[in-house]
């Protein structure tokens, strides 16, 4: 991870950590970098945050000032930007969103011409330009040339691209949704402008909540990070299923007909089993992260399905899938990647795939998840002086091993460092929450007793 860009773009408090000046300069670089041989074509989308408009205008101005043609999708989802970038032949794509974060945060996500997250080498060049130390093509670039005359780029509407993406999603459905009562929690975010249209076109009886964005209410007590409202709505209104998205709709969590949460791990289990039954699970493998629930691994073992584990982050899941040709992967949080259809997590696509299994097997979502038991999980964050020293302490390692031995095949312990804060995260999964907490706190006590606490 760089100085400004993490695993999911440039993220910060709008107007403070991420300013309009940052956006303008990023736009200046992208317009110039991709336009060195011929005029660059760049597509831009945004979520519903008030600051997204400010950042959209700033980054677009920067691109046009460097001579790029800028195409605006307006309020749309991250996966739609990925789709339009690769199918319409753009040089790169930009999504302005802080995903599941509160409204006062925002972010800039960059994608390559294939709709994938931009490579680290190009990101490093962006950061160098922001810091005034860019070196490229054998020279230093403290300032980039401004386009003049007919070289100045245009900024145009491209809502047709978003509409084509809606058509693409509809085309992927294998069955009519007629007769199914579906609740959608749009998180007052990007899904508001797309998800209802898709489900209504497929014939579902759609009920929508949190679809009145005002720039300040994105993710506020709603969506995939606050699933309680959807659980209550589904149960009280007799819905067949509910789906909750996050601010930019690259995540999806589900709620079954009983109002029970079905998280990303359970969704991967359900769809992987469905793929295996039809001999469609290429390599017989699901890609997970180290934070996936222990119950997922036990259920996949029972189903005869292999799995791989990556670092936390859908970026790492996707890299593994590309390198090894795997077809499904994701995170417990609801970032699910279906590599045959998308280059990024896509919440609406995930919802469509869950519907496909329910309709194909003529089963409720609660029945489809019966084969997987979700183990209780306790995560304790310990603020430390030095993450590496704390983890490598022999006494800490011995405590972790003792807990692992005690759990055997009835649970697991995972100790890892935070990528952004001075924290060591101690996570335990076991048969009960009390047992999880007891074992996690045992390791935490050793970390502190050894003098690592900050």
């Amino acid at each position: 991870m760089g100085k400004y860009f993490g695993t999911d773009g440039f993220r910060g408090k709008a107007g403070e950590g991420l300013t309009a000046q940052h956006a303008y300069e990023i736009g200046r670089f992208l317009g110039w970098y991709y336009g060195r041989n011929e005029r660059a074509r760049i597509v831009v989308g945004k979520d519903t945050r008030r600051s997204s408009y400010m950042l959209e205008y700033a980054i677009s101005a920067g691109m046009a000032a460097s001579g790029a043609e800028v195409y605006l999708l307006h309020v749309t989802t991250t996966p739609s930007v990925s789709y339009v970038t690769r199918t319409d032949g753009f040089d790169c794509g930009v999504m302005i969103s802080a995903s599941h974060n509160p409204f006062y945060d925002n972010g800039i996500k960059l994608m390559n011409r294939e709709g994938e997250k931009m490579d680290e080498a190009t990101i490093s060049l962006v950061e160098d330009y922001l810091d005034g130390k860019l070196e490229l093509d054998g020279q230093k670039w403290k300032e980039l040339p401004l386009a003049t005359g007919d070289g100045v780029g245009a900024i145009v509407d491209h809502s047709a691209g978003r509409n084509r993406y809606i058509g693409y999603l509809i085309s992927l459905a294998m069955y009519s949704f007629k007769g199914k009562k579906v609740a959608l929690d749009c998180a007052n975010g990007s899904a508001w402008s797309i998800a209802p249209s898709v489900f209504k076109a497929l014939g579902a009886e759609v009920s929508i909540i949190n679809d009145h964005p005002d720039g300040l209410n994105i993710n506020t007590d709603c969506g995939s990070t606050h699933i309680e409202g959807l659980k209550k709505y589904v149960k009280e209104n007799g819905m067949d299923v509910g789906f909750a998205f996050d601010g930019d709709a690259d995540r999806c969590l589900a709620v079954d007909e009983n109002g029970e949460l079905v998280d990303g791990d359970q969704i991967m289990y359900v769809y992987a089993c469905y793929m295996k039954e039809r001999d469609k699970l290429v390599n017989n493998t699901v890609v997970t992260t180290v934070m996936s629930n222990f119950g997922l691994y036990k259920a996949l073992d029972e189903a005869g399905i292999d799995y791989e584990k990556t670092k936390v982050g859908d970026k790492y899941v996707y890299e593994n899938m590309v390198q090894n040709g795997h077809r499904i992967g994701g995170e417990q949080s609801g970032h699910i990647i279906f590599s045959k259809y998308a280059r990024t997590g896509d919440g609406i696509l995930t919802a469509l795939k869950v519907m496909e299994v329910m309709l194909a097997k003529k089963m409720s979502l609660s029945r489809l998840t019966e084969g997987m038991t979700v183990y209780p999980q306790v995560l304790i964050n310990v603020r430390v002086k030095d993450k590496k020293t704390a983890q490598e302490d022999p006494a800490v390692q011995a405590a972790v091993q003792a807990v692992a031995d005690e759990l055997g095949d009835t649970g697991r312990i995972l100790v890892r460092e935070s990528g952004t804060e001075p924290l060591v995260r101690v996570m335990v999964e076991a048969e009960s929450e009390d047992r999880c907490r007891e074992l996690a706190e045992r390791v935490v006590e050793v970390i502190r007793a050894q003098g690592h606490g900050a």
Side-chain angles (χ1 to χ4, degrees):
M1 291 187 290
K3 178 179 177 181
Y4 302 102
F5 286 81
T7 57
D8 202 24
F10 189 151
R11 193 77 64 86
K13 187 170 284 190
E16 295 180 32
L18 173 58
T19 67
Q21 186 64 33
H22 285 128
Y24 176 75
E25 290 177 358
I26 292 169
R28 287 275 285 125
F29 174 84
L30 295 174
W32 170 81
Y33 180 74
Y34 287 101
R36 286 176 297 160
N37 295 318
E38 58 182 329
R39 192 189 290 272
R41 296 175 69 253
I42 303 173
V43 65
V44 180
K46 66 175 182 286
D47 70 17
T48 58
R49 287 162 223 269
R50 177 177 291 181
S51 62
S52 291
Y53 293 78
M54 170 185 76
L55 296 173
E56 174 195 49
Y57 297 152
I59 201 167
S60 299
M63 293 169 180
S66 287
E69 301 288 356
V70 186
Y71 294 75
L72 302 182
L73 293 174
H74 308 289
V75 172
T76 193
T77 66
T78 291
S80 75
V81 176
S82 171
Y83 173 79
V84 172
T85 301
R86 69 182 172 88
T87 57
D88 282 3
F90 285 101
D91 293 300
C92 68
V94 176
M95 178 65 183
I96 297 164
S97 175
S99 195
H100 59 283
N101 285 26
F103 82 90
Y104 48 75
D105 289 335
N106 217 323
I108 297 176
K109 304 182 183 186
L110 304 181
M111 304 172 199
N112 65 20
R113 65 179 65 246
E114 297 300 322
E116 303 164 330
K117 291 188 177 181
M118 196 168 281
D119 62 280
E120 294 296 333
T122 306
I123 292 292
S124 293
L125 293 175
V126 177
E127 296 201 336
D128 285 347
Y129 179 64
L130 291 175
D131 285 338
K133 59 180 186 181
L134 176 65
E135 290 189 36
L136 191 65
D137 299 335
Q139 67 180 100
K140 294 182 179 180
W141 300 90
K142 192 166 182 70
E143 293 295 336
L144 296 175
L146 287 162
T148 60
D150 63 1
V152 174
I155 302 174
V156 300
D157 171 81
H158 194 56
S159 52
R162 182 186 60 205
N163 294 337
R164 205 161 47 74
Y165 168 73
I166 292 174
Y168 172 67
L169 289 177
I170 294 168
S171 75
L172 295 178
M174 305 285 289
Y175 302 92
S176 165
F177 294 173
K178 191 173 181 181
K180 289 294 181 184
K181 296 173 70 176
V182 181
L184 303 176
D185 183 344
C186 294
N188 292 313
S190 296
W192 150 77
S193 64
I194 294 177
S197 300
V198 172
F199 276 81
K200 287 176 182 176
L202 291 168
E205 185 180 326
V206 184
S207 297
I208 310 161
I209 60 175
N210 302 308
D211 62 332
H212 292 87
D214 62 11
L216 306 178
N217 60 1
I218 186 171
N219 298 317
T220 303
D221 299 324
C222 59
S224 63
T225 49
H226 299 279
I227 199 76
E228 302 78 18
L230 182 62
K231 290 169 69 174
K232 185 170 183 282
Y233 187 91
V234 167
K235 194 167 185 180
E236 289 181 353
N237 292 277
M239 310 303 291
D240 293 305
V241 66
F243 298 106
F245 309 105
D246 65 339
D248 65 337
D250 62 354
R251 294 186 187 192
C252 172
L253 295 180
V255 172
D256 70 21
E257 74 283 4
N258 300 315
E260 296 297 323
L261 169 66
V262 177
D263 68 15
D265 286 341
Q266 292 167 290
I267 290 171
M268 285 192 289
Y269 167 73
V270 166
Y271 202 78
C273 289
Y274 174 63
M275 292 175 78
K276 185 177 177 68
E277 288 172 9
R278 298 177 302 132
D279 199 27
K280 300 288 187 183
L281 186 59
V282 177
N283 303 330
N284 193 45
T285 299
V286 177
V287 182
T288 71
T289 75
V290 293
M291 289 302 288
S292 279
N293 192 271
F294 182 68
L296 172 62
Y297 300 122
K298 293 203 76 169
L300 291 176
D301 285 338
E302 278 289 318
I305 296 172
D306 299 328
Y307 44 83
E308 295 200 27
K309 300 180 185 180
T310 74
K311 291 191 289 185
V312 175
D314 61 321
K315 168 185 176 179
Y316 302 112
V317 172
Y318 181 70
E319 285 176 356
N320 183 292
M321 293 173 72
V322 170
Q323 288 166 7
N324 299 293
H326 302 318
R327 283 288 178 83
I328 183 172
E331 299 184 283
Q332 191 179 72
S333 61
H335 271 128
I336 313 296
I337 301 172
F338 299 91
S339 63
K340 183 177 178 181
Y341 308 104
R343 304 289 189 268
T344 183
D346 187 330
I348 301 172
L349 172 61
T350 298
L352 295 178
K353 289 298 177 184
V354 172
M355 292 293 295
E356 180 182 330
V357 185
M358 290 172 61
L359 291 161
K361 297 180 72 66
K362 297 182 173 59
M363 292 169 66
S364 66
L365 188 51
S366 65
R367 281 200 58 203
L368 290 169
T369 58
E370 282 176 354
M372 177 181 160
T373 300
V374 178
Y375 276 55
Q377 184 182 86
V378 166
L379 175 68
I380 302 178
N381 294 318
V382 189
R383 189 166 291 275
V384 294
K385 297 168 189 169
D386 185 278
K387 295 179 281 191
K388 192 169 186 290
T389 302
Q391 281 190 276
E392 292 180 353
D393 185 309
V396 173
Q397 291 184 342
V400 172
Q401 188 58 51
V403 169
D405 292 342
E406 197 169 319
L407 283 168
D409 63 357
T410 65
R412 67 168 179 150
I413 180 168
L414 175 68
V415 179
R416 67 182 186 92
E417 62 183 58
S418 165
T420 56
E421 300 175 88
L423 302 173
V424 168
R425 307 190 194 278
V426 180
M427 188 271 285
V428 174
E429 291 169 332
E431 302 97 324
S432 71
E433 187 167 339
D434 288 345
R435 180 74 168 141
C436 291
R437 190 162 298 281
E438 173 202 338
L439 295 174
E441 287 177 347
R442 191 187 301 175
V443 173
V444 170
E445 284 172 15
V446 174
I447 292 173
R448 290 179 174 145
Q450 291 298 107
H452 299 298

